[in-house]
Amino acid sequence: MTAPAPTTQRSRRERVPAVLVLEDGRTFRGQAYGAVGETFGEAVFNTGMSGYQETLTDPSYHRQVVVMTAPQIGNTGWNDEDDESAQIWVAGYVVRDPARVASNWRSQRSLDEELERQGVVGISGIDTRALTRHLRERGAMRVGIFSGPALDDQAALLARVQAAPEMKGADLCAEVATKETYVVPAIGEKKYTVAALDLGIKGMTPHRMAERGIEVHVFPANSTLEELYAVQPDGVFFSNGPGDPATADHQVAVAQGVLARKTPFFGICFGNQILGRALGFGTYKLKYGHRGINQPVQDRTTGKVEVTAHNHGFAVEAPLDKVSDTPYGRAEVSHVCLNDDVVEGLQCLDTPAFSVQYHPEAAAGPHDAAYLFDRFVDLMAGAPARTTAGS
């Protein structure tokens, strides 16, 4: 006799109705996924077909409701090894077809169970393709997800979404950064010391540096230039993070201090935007941003095209067709997105500093850009920058 199928938490909750309401009034109805309740944030879509655990625990997604374009999510469950930080940071989660069974030898529980455990409100069973097309046409916007008792006053839902704070002008990096400095020791022989400003750093980033013999001192987002230099760093690193770079005046001033001292500098994502502002360039909000692990970027210094991992809704406004004069010498756009010509990297020509808008640490892959950590090592060593891993 066949044993009856187990009654999971998901099967008990899939009958709980849920509603997703966009700020322009468009509504999608589905079932509760994860925690039951309500949540607000900026609706954005992610095109990755894998790596959802790394996405959910990326602090750069703070205050964003992530829509997954891949139709089925949750196949590999959840483990305690792949987190990029100590918690899930997304404000809400939207999937079309949740996996009924988690099947992976490292899985310890289902994605649904983990979302519920951490209080993350989600929705499933909606047409995520239609929602994604809507966001592409209209742009990222505020959204609310409501389930359970939160649905009692449906007439007020749209007004509540429209009253939620916008991402433009949001100063968020200090909310996700470490409160105390900590050290990630070098793996093997220590070769260099790096002061890393945590603006929403992912765990894999200092690990990638540690693999290269770097001892990484990770500092809170509002640390001063003097605090960074107290560890006598061979290089300074600015991490990824959430929010509008136009609000990061303190971090920009710190970056300018690093440039003035000509200490080797490397920035990722939010760190790229900070470097751009430090050099005198502006930043702006993209219509719907780049989020996923399949974005084509060309390294203009080599001509190589890389498939890269992205998570950004803002970008640097810098000229693609010329070298720019800045208060810290000449600078140029080093990387560009081949989909839309968005600036994806900067390089200083008279100061040892560079940055990229995407994520070369990419724990879930791809790993085309991992050589950029070697380029940072070369910069600290005063050697010519390598163009690919192992070159």
Side-chain angles (χ1 to χ4, degrees):
M1 183 176 66
T2 303
T7 303
T8 65
Q9 290 181 317
R10 174 183 176 273
S11 65
R12 289 196 300 270
R13 280 201 306 277
E14 64 185 356
R15 294 183 295 274
V16 177
V19 175
L20 181 149
V21 181
L22 294 168
E23 71 170 272
D24 65 358
R26 185 154 185 190
T27 299
F28 293 81
R29 296 184 180 275
Q31 297 81 44
Y33 186 59
V36 172
E38 64 180 43
T39 191
F40 301 89
E42 180 185 46
V44 300
F45 60 87
N46 182 300
T47 59
M49 296 182 69
S50 63
Y52 59 79
Q53 183 168 338
E54 289 86 349
T55 293
L56 288 164
T57 55
D58 179 352
S60 297
Y61 281 109
H62 179 42
R63 243 174 62 183
Q64 292 182 322
V65 173
V66 177
V67 181
M68 299 301 295
T69 62
Q72 190 170 71
I73 298 295
N75 289 310
T76 55
W78 192 277
N79 62 66
D80 292 328
E81 301 168 19
D82 291 340
D83 290 355
E84 286 288 355
S85 66
Q87 68 178 78
I88 293 175
W89 282 104
V90 304
Y93 205 46
V94 183
V95 302
R96 179 168 186 161
D97 182 19
R100 294 182 180 276
V101 177
S103 179
N104 184 276
W105 66 277
R106 295 195 304 153
S107 177
Q108 294 167 294
R109 52 199 169 276
S110 72
L111 171 57
D112 185 26
E113 290 169 336
E114 186 65 19
L115 291 170
E116 184 184 37
R117 188 180 75 86
Q118 296 201 35
V120 179
V121 174
I123 187 172
S124 65
I126 72 168
D127 188 345
T128 51
R129 181 176 181 181
L131 176 54
T132 298
R133 287 171 64 92
H134 189 80
L135 295 175
R136 279 180 59 91
E137 293 168 1
R138 305 291 181 89
M141 64 182 75
R142 288 169 294 180
V143 66
I145 300 175
F146 308 90
S147 57
L151 287 174
D152 289 347
D153 187 7
Q154 295 200 28
L157 299 185
L158 178 58
R160 297 184 65 200
V161 171
Q162 292 173 339
E166 297 185 2
M167 187 59 68
K168 188 173 182 178
D171 184 4
L172 302 178
C173 60
E175 295 182 11
V176 302
T178 181
K179 306 304 180 188
E180 302 289 338
T181 301
Y182 63 91
V183 178
V184 178
I187 297 174
E189 178 188 358
K190 175 187 171 183
K191 300 176 182 177
Y192 301 101
T193 299
V194 163
L197 195 66
D198 179 2
L199 307 173
I201 200 166
K202 294 162 68 176
M204 186 56 68
T205 304
H207 179 73
R208 290 288 183 234
M209 288 190 268
E211 290 176 330
R212 290 159 171 81
I214 299 172
E215 180 180 275
V216 186
H217 295 249
V218 184
F219 288 85
N222 292 322
S223 297
T224 65
L225 186 68
E226 291 72 23
E227 288 171 332
L228 298 186
Y229 276 89
V231 300
Q232 300 181 326
D234 300 294
V236 174
F237 172 81
F238 276 30
S239 80
N240 59 290
D244 187 343
T247 66
D249 292 344
H250 170 78
Q251 290 78 17
V252 169
V254 173
Q256 289 173 332
V258 175
L259 294 174
R261 296 192 185 196
K262 293 189 179 295
T263 304
F265 177 94
F266 180 25
I268 285 176
C269 203
F270 201 77
N272 176 69
Q273 297 159 11
I274 298 300
L275 177 60
R277 283 197 57 199
L279 293 172
F281 299 124
T283 57
Y284 66 100
K285 195 174 191 306
L286 295 167
K287 183 177 181 180
Y288 49 80
H290 299 167
R291 296 172 183 88
I293 58 177
N294 50 5
Q295 306 282 340
V297 166
Q298 183 177 44
D299 183 342
R300 302 174 84 193
T301 65
T302 65
K304 178 185 175 184
V305 176
E306 304 158 0
V307 178
T308 58
H310 287 218
N311 173 19
H312 65 106
F314 294 86
V316 175
E317 195 167 22
L320 300 177
D321 57 352
K322 67 175 184 179
V323 173
S324 300
D325 292 319
T326 79
Y328 305 97
R330 297 167 301 150
E332 64 181 359
V333 174
S334 58
H335 296 74
V336 64
C337 181
L338 297 181
N339 286 334
D340 53 15
D341 289 335
V342 166
V343 172
E344 296 292 346
L346 298 168
Q347 177 174 268
C348 295
L349 302 180
D350 302 312
T351 302
F354 74 103
S355 59
V356 291
Q357 186 60 64
Y358 50 95
H359 291 252
E361 80 288 343
H367 303 296
D368 294 19
Y371 71 90
L372 289 168
F373 290 101
D374 297 319
R375 186 175 287 185
F376 187 33
V377 170
D378 293 339
L379 204 61
M380 290 187 286
R386 69 190 79 189
T387 58
T388 59
S391 65

